[in-house]
Amino acid sequence: MRYLVISDIHGNLEALDAVIGAMTPLGFDRALVLGDLVGYGADPNAVVDRVRAMNPLMVIRGNHDKVAAGLDDGESFNLVARSAVQWTTDALTPENLEYLRTLPAGPTAIDDQVQICHGSPFDEDAYIFDELDAYKAFETATRPVCLFGHTHVALAFRRVGDRLELPAGPGDTDQIRIPIDPGARFLVNVGSVGQPRDNDSRAGAGIVDTNAGVIELYRVRYPIEEAQRKIRLAGLPEILARRLALGR
Ligand code: ZN
């Protein structure tokens, strides 16, 4: 199977459309969506509609989806995130609220090679930033390729025995191809579609091809100014517009 992998769209329709437009010509069988469809951006309904129209093989929930849908009180959120998620809950249609409410929690095994989660394979809300987090995650991952999101940082860890390598990290801005070599295990974040935080303002996305044995990471330009205009028009916090241009 050739999977399109997307995560952390955060209500950014311009970024999602650009990713779909750029990735469709590359060809994929089905999409995997790693959560946080909404929160921060101005188009939660249109993003949920787009994702549903893609008929993904699997969509799991993120922490913002959980709070927007009323499954979590958002106590851990900062003020900006909390005000954005309240705006999002008010904006969502009853049908899309129900869709978010019924999304399954990760981790979820996709096939015998691939597993997906929002935060980490041991806790959907935990972050994988560094080698220590990665070691812990590798202990609980049940497939050779474990895909995660949540940090909004495109990053790949490769583990062979006890050795840990970083075939992709922040600052790697060009397309990256990582061979899925037998015997190695991988933890991969393809980056965030709608609110990148790795100092690259372009939308992140990936392809995992289990037949060809390769993981590909991409960055896609999108009309940031339009997404910013809508955030300001919606009365969402100004910082949410500004950070899109900075990619952090
Ligand atoms: Zn997120």
Side-chain angles (χ1 to χ4, degrees), residues 90-134:
D90 294 342
L92 281 164
T93 64
E95 192 193 342
N96 284 337
L97 269 174
E98 183 59 20
Y99 174 80
L100 294 177
R101 204 172 286 133
T102 54
L103 287 178
T108 305
I110 301 300
D111 58 27
D112 58 359
Q113 289 196 64
V114 177
Q115 174 186 34
I116 65 172
C117 56
H118 182 65
S120 85
F122 57 87
D123 180 343
E124 61 175 340
D125 295 329
Y127 291 89
I128 302 173
F129 279 114
D130 56 22
E131 282 85 351
L132 212 62
D133 302 330

Side-chain angles (χ1 to χ4, degrees), residues 2 10 27 78 94-95 109 147 192 196 212-213 223:
R2 190 169 158 86
H10 284 291
N78 63 37
E95 192 193 342
L147 306 169
S192 166

Side-chain angles (χ1 to χ4, degrees), residues 7-10 35-36 38 40 62-64 118 127 149-152 192 195 197:
S7 187
D8 298 278
I9 306 162
H10 284 291
D36 277 0
V38 303
Y40 298 137
N63 49 322
H64 288 257
H118 182 65
Y127 291 89
H150 199 31
T151 61
H152 301 204
S192 166
Q195 196 196 75
R197 295 179 195 161

Side-chain angles (χ1 to χ4, degrees), residues 24-36:
T24 301
L26 301 176
F28 59 88
D29 299 308
R30 299 292 294 277
L32 305 174
V33 183
L34 276 53
D36 277 0

Side-chain angles (χ1 to χ4, degrees), residues 21-194:
M23 303 304 277
T24 301
L26 301 176
F28 59 88
D29 299 308
R30 299 292 294 277
L32 305 174
V33 183
L34 276 53
D36 277 0
L37 281 65
V38 303
Y40 298 137
D43 278 308
N45 285 304
V47 162
V48 172
D49 292 343
R50 278 290 196 290
V51 167
R52 296 174 73 173
M54 290 171 79
N55 187 27
L57 181 60
M58 181 61 69
V59 185
I60 54 173
R61 69 188 189 185
N63 49 322
H64 288 257
D65 304 322
K66 250 194 310 189
V67 177
L71 298 172
D72 185 296
D73 60 16
E75 276 291 302
S76 63
F77 279 19
N78 63 37
L79 281 178
V80 168
R82 207 177 300 177
S83 98
V85 84
Q86 185 57 57
W87 180 93
T88 300
T89 302
D90 294 342
L92 281 164
T93 64
E95 192 193 342
N96 284 337
L97 269 174
E98 183 59 20
Y99 174 80
L100 294 177
R101 204 172 286 133
T102 54
L103 287 178
T108 305
I110 301 300
D111 58 27
D112 58 359
Q113 289 196 64
V114 177
Q115 174 186 34
I116 65 172
C117 56
H118 182 65
S120 85
F122 57 87
D123 180 343
E124 61 175 340
D125 295 329
Y127 291 89
I128 302 173
F129 279 114
D130 56 22
E131 282 85 351
L132 212 62
D133 302 330
Y135 270 113
K136 205 173 160 196
F138 272 121
E139 293 309 313
T140 48
T142 60
R143 296 293 185 273
V145 177
C146 179
L147 306 169
F148 68 99
H150 199 31
T151 61
H152 301 204
V153 174
L155 189 64
F157 296 97
R158 177 178 182 272
R159 184 171 177 172
V160 181
D162 269 344
R163 210 176 64 240
L164 202 59
E165 298 163 358
L166 257 93
D172 293 335
T173 50
D174 292 322
Q175 182 195 331
I176 292 167
R177 274 177 68 88
I178 304 166
I180 307 174
D181 33 350
R185 301 173 71 210
F186 298 87
L187 266 176
V188 180
N189 187 333
V190 301
S192 166
V193 171

